[in-house]
Amino acid sequence: MTSAPLINADRLWTRLMALAEIGATPAGGVNRQALSDGEIAAWRRVIGWASEAGLTPSTDAAGNLFLTLAGRDRAAPPLLLGSHLDSQPTGGKFDGAAGVMAALEAVVSLAGQGDKPARDIIVVAWMNEEGSRFAPGMMGSEAFTGERDMDAIRAARDADGISVGEALDRLHQAFPDMPRRPLGFAAEAYLELHIEQGPLLEAAGCTIGVVTGIQGKKTFQVVVEGAEGHAGTLAQRERRDALAAFAQVASALHAEIGAIDADIKFTIGRVAVVPNAPSVVPSRVSFSIDLRHPDNSVLDAAGARINALCEEKAPPCSVTVTPLVDAPSNAFDERLRASIAEAAREQGHSAMAILSAAGHDARHLAKVCPAAMIFIPCRDGVSHVEHEWAEPDHVAAGASVLAQVLRELAFAPPGIEG
């Protein structure tokens, strides 16, 4: 067992609850979507806490927030740790925010010890992890790792027609004196704490999840085009009803793709109908597809069937299927996973290996540096809801394990082998 606390658990919980006040919903959740006034306010609060401990803020063209504790060798690749501050429209207090605040607490506690780390340590809040306001998600980490072009990111628009570019410019205008980093830089390692967003840890009575990797994910935008018509005068046989075609397509997709095996996750999560009028035959339906599986071969085969099924079932309407995200399953760094498991053991926390069913920014960081994740339980395994909840003791335990692994890395010579 470690002899002294590695974090201040009360400070961590108090700050996490204070952060949840920004964008708070009447039902106890959080609506703090990417690049919104709420996220700008969250930046101000988190920057204030970081500045009190001597961390310096900076950003980049993608709207990622970096909070840096200077190390002895400023030229050495830094250690990164964090998550995201944006939420779903009816999100909870912990998704993303717990990871940022645990990272900040780990670094603030380290700074309070007075020993300067070997290299810079940077707390990061990635832009638009959720993808709720702007699709697809994880724009900040994808831009940072060079997986998505900034022109394409800036061109994406929300439901009100506001582009990411416009929202990013507004964010940067709110912090005119903040230093701007180049987009993407070498990192020694990346660590991320997150609630599990699933039921396995709670069911096992386990406090720490040592995340082995993240299951693969593909997303698509599908548009079915028909023709408008009067609901009272247009004969059924003459109709090109986009909603009826959508129903056929959706039914076929669920029947085939959704029944591949017990591990498949197939979701149609957003549907928009045009003109969406009670007495008009719908002319256009656009919808999203979210497809996930831990086996990349199964994922690829399922993804390949989507276009064929849509084209088969859409007539007499036309259909266009646009791939958005293609993120294969990945595995996290074995040495970092071992360090997390050992830290949990030394601190007396139960731990288990676990695959992440949800996507995280760590997926993209793992392609450019050693990366790992720590999971903590969430009540009933639920997330992306207003009653999302994690116990204070679990938040503290996860942050303490994170802090121990960080300290081991902070004073080690460069060169973590993947």
Side-chain angles (χ1 to χ4, degrees), residues 67 88 121 153 178 191 213 233 242 258 279 328 347:
L67 305 165
Q88 291 289 330
I121 302 174
I153 288 174
M178 185 177 292
L191 299 170
T233 62
S279 297
Q347 294 184 28

Side-chain angles (χ1 to χ4, degrees), residues 322-414:
T322 303
L324 297 179
V325 171
D326 186 1
S329 294
N330 73 285
F332 287 128
D333 183 81
E334 290 186 3
R335 289 185 61 186
L336 291 177
R337 285 156 50 186
S339 294
I340 292 167
E342 180 62 16
R345 188 194 66 79
E346 290 182 0
Q347 294 184 28
H349 303 305
S350 55
M352 61 183 278
I354 186 171
L355 176 72
S356 176
H360 302 283
D361 293 302
R363 178 204 297 278
H364 303 294
L365 272 295
K367 298 172 184 176
V368 298
C369 70
M373 293 190 71
I374 298 166
F375 274 175
I376 58 172
C378 52
R379 181 187 294 163
D380 298 327
V382 301
S383 181
H384 287 189
V385 295
E386 291 170 288
H387 61 277
E388 172 186 277
W389 185 257
E391 294 297 330
D393 287 350
H394 292 158
V395 174
S400 184
V401 169
L402 176 70
Q404 181 168 330
V405 176
L406 172 65
R407 292 184 188 208
E408 293 170 359
L409 297 173
F411 299 101

Side-chain angles (χ1 to χ4, degrees), residues 14 22 41 59 100 104 145 272 309 315 325 356 369 375:
T14 298
I22 300 174
T59 187
V100 175
L104 181 62
T145 56
L309 283 171
V325 171
S356 176
C369 70
F375 274 175

Side-chain angles (χ1 to χ4, degrees), residues 39 56 67 81 87 97 180-181 183 210 237 248 314 348 370 384 390:
E39 189 168 36
T56 58
L67 305 165
L81 65 165
S87 79
R180 190 82 62 91
R181 287 178 171 268
L183 185 58
V210 183
R237 66 181 179 276
Q248 294 290 334
H384 287 189

Side-chain angles (χ1 to χ4, degrees), residues 12-325:
L12 169 59
W13 185 259
T14 298
R15 287 179 171 178
L16 183 57
M17 293 301 103
L19 185 62
E21 295 172 359
I22 300 174
T25 64
V30 173
N31 179 8
R32 191 172 57 234
Q33 296 182 65
L35 304 176
S36 63
D37 288 344
E39 189 168 36
I40 290 173
W43 270 39
R44 294 193 189 282
R45 185 162 293 184
V46 172
I47 289 169
W49 290 327
S51 298
E52 291 173 4
L55 280 65
T56 58
S58 59
T59 187
D60 61 12
N64 297 312
L65 174 62
F66 304 100
L67 305 165
T68 302
L69 175 66
R72 295 193 301 274
D73 184 356
R74 302 302 308 276
L79 297 168
L80 300 181
L81 65 165
S83 191
H84 61 96
L85 292 171
D86 66 311
S87 79
Q88 291 289 330
T90 52
K93 298 179 175 72
F94 302 90
D95 180 2
V100 175
M101 298 314 299
L104 181 62
E105 178 57 37
V107 177
V108 167
S109 294
L110 178 63
Q113 299 299 311
D115 293 329
K116 209 166 193 178
R119 60 191 65 78
D120 287 0
I121 302 174
I122 302 177
V123 176
V124 58
W126 303 109
M127 187 272 285
N128 189 36
E129 192 272 355
E130 293 291 356
S132 57
R133 180 184 180 192
F134 300 107
M138 302 188 203
M139 287 179 173
S141 56
E142 285 195 325
F144 181 87
T145 56
E147 296 176 77
R148 191 171 292 275
D149 180 74
M150 273 305 302
D151 289 340
I153 288 174
R154 289 181 63 88
R157 295 183 179 273
D158 67 10
D160 296 321
I162 299 171
S163 71
V164 172
E166 292 167 338
L168 275 173
D169 292 344
R170 186 168 175 269
L171 171 76
H172 289 137
Q173 289 165 7
F175 301 91
D177 299 325
M178 185 177 292
R180 190 82 62 91
R181 287 178 171 268
L183 185 58
F185 50 84
E188 179 73 4
Y190 175 70
L191 299 170
E192 181 170 349
L193 177 143
H194 209 281
I195 57 172
E196 180 195 345
Q197 300 181 288
L200 300 182
L201 290 175
E202 185 179 58
C206 197
T207 302
I208 299 295
V210 183
V211 185
T212 58
I214 300 176
Q215 72 173 342
K217 175 182 178 180
K218 294 179 185 287
T219 67
F220 305 83
Q221 184 68 25
V222 184
V223 178
V224 179
E225 295 279 4
E228 289 184 20
H230 192 293
T233 62
L234 186 63
Q236 291 293 133
R237 66 181 179 276
E238 298 175 1
R239 296 184 179 193
R240 294 178 58 229
D241 186 331
L243 186 59
F246 161 73
Q248 294 290 334
V249 168
S251 179
L253 289 169
H254 276 286
E256 180 175 328
I257 307 296
I260 287 175
D261 62 24
D263 291 326
I264 198 77
K265 302 293 190 301
F266 174 83
T267 305
I268 295 175
R270 176 181 289 173
V271 180
V273 181
V274 175
N276 202 28
S279 297
V280 181
V281 175
S283 62
R284 186 176 192 267
V285 174
S286 59
F287 64 98
S288 66
I289 292 175
D290 184 306
L291 177 66
R292 309 189 195 208
H293 198 281
D295 186 322
N296 286 325
S297 63
V298 176
L299 182 68
D300 289 341
R305 283 292 293 154
I306 286 175
N307 192 75
L309 283 171
C310 288
E311 290 186 349
E312 178 185 336
K313 299 297 182 180
C317 296
S318 62
V319 64
T320 303
V321 180
T322 303
L324 297 179
V325 171

